[in-house]
Amino acid sequence: MATEQAPHWHRWAERCESILANAIHSRADGDARLAEAMAYAALDGGKRMRPLLVYATGTALGASESTLDIPAAAIELIHAYSLVHDDLPAMDDDALRRGKPTVHVAYDEATAILAGDGLLTLAFELLGQAPMAPPMIVAMLQTLARAAGMQGMVAGQSIDLAHVGQSMSLEALRQMHGAKTGALIRCAVQLGALTANADATACAALDDFADALGLAFQIRDDILDVEGDPDLIGKTAGKDAVNAKPTYPALLGLDGSRALLAELAQRMDNALSRVPADTGELARLADFAATRAH
Ligand code: GRG
């Protein structure tokens, strides 16, 4: 787990886990099996990268952990939904996620679709109830909806599926991943900055950092799909090649992909040096994203 690497990460991941567990279990009276499938998808697994980014950004800029809890949990719910739907037969058709059978395999396809829908909508329900001033809640709802929706993650996924078996330029690949993976990572940093009422200068530098981080995270993901240990990554390796997906290693080779990662690491350092705060935890998360083994 990423959270073994820094004591804050472990505590932040636990806080997020407890909000998620509470939110899902306390609503199980709607339909117990649906709630069980949602818990199966969202709890006890994953690196919690997006919540950690919310906490690391927000606390660096002076926000308290308790004000960051709901934004952190909300973005993880969106991420969890996206994984459940991405794994469906109509999309990536994956049988393994986070080291266990995917939701449609463990339950059934209809339940997986509904569990994803439940996680997606729960994110906005939770955020709408956050203990914050209403204008702040509205800003957060808009930020999360925009990142997750038809100009963000959903668009990226759609473009990705449309390009299976087709070639893609490096710029088109960057744009596709900027939407599919990057939008939510940028959003995590934005939610932390919003909670802390960060000024425009800090927000601009953090957005530059998060843009590079999203890309680095994706390139590392592509590299792991080629050379990662399936036991560590917890999903089927080599799927990109089998599915004829355009990827960074396919376009640049493994060495070229690593060289791009090194450039991005430099850009992230540079961006963080422009944030007038102690950004040590963000730097550690950036390093983890670019070098992770899972
Ligand atoms: C279904 C609308 C919709 C979108 C799906 C997330 C996603 C978009 C697709 C997943 C496919 C993929 C491999 C994306 C690349 C990077 C990525 C998001 C990996 C999974 O995120 P991690 O590594 O997962 O943070 P954990 O399990 O650690 O939370």
Side-chain angles (χ1 to χ4, degrees):
M1 283 282 289
T3 50
E4 282 157 17
Q5 301 193 2
H8 288 322
W9 297 7
H10 184 66
R11 194 179 61 255
W12 292 339
E14 299 256 288
R15 291 183 78 103
C16 179
E17 180 79 11
S18 137
I19 305 261
L20 294 176
N22 243 322
I24 295 171
H25 294 318
S26 66
R27 290 164 175 80
D29 57 345
D31 179 69
R33 188 164 178 276
L34 173 68
E36 195 195 294
M38 288 168 63
Y40 180 87
L43 304 182
D44 194 24
K47 297 179 285 296
R48 305 300 195 210
M49 185 75 190
R50 294 146 195 84
L52 294 184
L53 282 168
V54 175
Y55 285 113
T57 306
T59 54
L61 298 168
S64 68
E65 289 178 352
S66 60
T67 56
L68 295 159
D69 285 335
I70 298 287
I75 198 161
E76 183 65 13
L77 285 166
I78 297 283
H79 171 60
Y81 122 75
S82 79
L83 297 180
V84 175
H85 281 191
D86 181 65
D87 290 334
L88 284 166
M91 299 213 195
D92 253 20
D93 194 10
D94 251 306
L96 201 61
R97 168 75 64 185
R98 294 178 168 174
K100 57 187 192 184
T102 44
V103 181
H104 66 275
V105 171
Y107 292 82
D108 55 69
E109 227 175 294
T111 305
I113 293 170
L114 292 170
D117 294 342
L119 294 166
L120 165 62
T121 44
L122 181 56
F124 292 105
E125 185 187 341
L126 273 196
L127 202 48
Q129 294 170 347
M132 295 174 191
M136 174 70 87
I137 294 180
V138 172
M140 295 223 180
L141 289 169
Q142 283 178 339
T143 301
L144 187 59
R146 206 177 303 121
M150 63 183 289
Q151 293 172 295
M153 183 179 69
V154 172
Q157 178 78 347
S158 179
I159 295 167
D160 188 2
L161 292 173
H163 284 83
V164 170
Q166 292 181 27
S167 62
M168 225 179 188
S169 70
L170 201 54
E171 181 49 24
L173 189 68
R174 193 194 62 74
Q175 278 187 17
M176 188 262 285
H177 287 311
K180 188 178 94 165
T181 310
L184 220 53
I185 288 184
R186 277 171 78 182
C187 176
V189 170
Q190 284 162 359
L191 292 180
L194 264 174
T195 311
N197 284 309
D199 65 26
T201 311
C203 284
L206 283 165
D207 197 49
D208 187 20
F209 164 77
D211 184 50
L213 176 62
L215 198 50
F217 189 83
Q218 179 63 52
I219 295 171
R220 186 69 197 147
D221 210 73
D222 284 358
I223 293 175
L224 285 174
D225 190 71
V226 178
E227 61 173 25
D229 175 348
D231 285 341
L232 284 180
I233 61 177
K235 58 184 181 182
T236 319
K239 283 278 299 189
D240 291 338
V242 170
N243 290 344
K245 288 267 182 98
T247 63
Y248 282 93
L251 275 184
L252 298 177
L254 281 170
D255 285 347
S257 303
R258 287 196 193 95
L260 185 50
L261 264 183
E263 264 176 45
L264 289 165
Q266 195 59 50
R267 191 178 135 202
M268 288 190 274
D269 265 4
N270 193 298
L272 286 183
S273 72
R274 286 181 274 125
V275 180
D278 176 358
T279 53
E281 290 298 344
L282 283 172
R284 269 187 283 282
L285 280 170
D287 184 51
F288 169 72
T291 58
R292 66 201 169 93
H294 61 113

